[in-house]
């Protein structure tokens, strides 16, 4: 695997660890409310749901890290595809910015892994 592919997969894994932290532990803080465009009231009402979403982001990160540690390209491609699809759904239903934060990097990483 090329260094570029590994770095891209690693960065996407780190992004999802960061999202996990925001959603599971920092949801009602100013940082998370700014990142997700919520108000204190909405953040308080959706705290449990956000924690659940954070857990799923953690699973994505864990899968990507597993793929990196084992060098298993099929595992990396599976979890990158999951990230890309989640980004498409998020862009269609929540915020178009998700397309550029999640889907585009995942597709670039997929291309890099396939080239390795």
């Amino acid at each position: 695997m090329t260094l570029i592919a590994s770095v891209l997969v690693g960065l996407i894994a780190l992004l999802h660890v960061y999202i996990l932290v925001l959603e599971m532990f920092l949801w009602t803080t100013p940082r998370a409310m700014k990142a997700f465009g919520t108000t204190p009231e909405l953040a308080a009402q959706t705290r449990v749901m956000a924690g659940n979403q954070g857990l799923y982001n953690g699973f994505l990160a864990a899968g990507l890290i597993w793929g990196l540690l084992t060098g298993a390209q099929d595992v990396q491609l599976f979890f990158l595809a999951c990230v890309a699809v989640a980004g498409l759904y998020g862009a269609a239903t929540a915020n178009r910015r998700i397309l550029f934060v999640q889907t585009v990097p995942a597709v670039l990483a997929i291309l890099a892994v396939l080239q390795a």
Side-chain angles (χ1 to χ4, degrees):
M1 171 169 290
T2 67
L3 178 62
I4 292 172
S6 294
V7 168
L8 288 174
V9 172
L11 288 172
I12 293 168
L14 288 175
L15 171 65
H16 285 275
V17 169
Y18 178 67
I19 295 170
L20 171 148
V21 170
L22 284 177
E23 292 177 340
M24 290 188 80
F25 306 111
L26 303 176
W27 186 250
T28 57
T29 67
R31 174 184 286 189
M33 287 188 288
K34 181 179 178 187
F36 294 100
T38 60
T39 63
E41 296 79 22
L42 182 60
Q45 292 171 350
T46 57
R47 191 172 68 78
V48 173
M49 179 204 64
N52 189 287
Q53 287 177 188
L55 183 62
Y56 286 101
N57 279 291
F59 292 144
L60 292 174
L64 291 169
I65 293 166
W66 170 36
L68 277 176
L69 292 176
T70 62
Q73 290 182 337
D74 56 340
V75 172
Q76 293 173 38
L77 291 170
F78 172 79
F79 283 97
L80 288 168
C82 290
V83 169
V85 170
L88 287 172
Y89 185 79
T93 61
N95 186 326
R96 286 186 193 200
R97 185 179 65 154
I98 296 170
L99 186 70
F100 301 102
V101 172
Q102 205 169 336
T103 302
V104 170
V107 169
L108 292 174
I110 287 169
L111 294 173
V113 169
L114 289 172
Q115 295 296 316

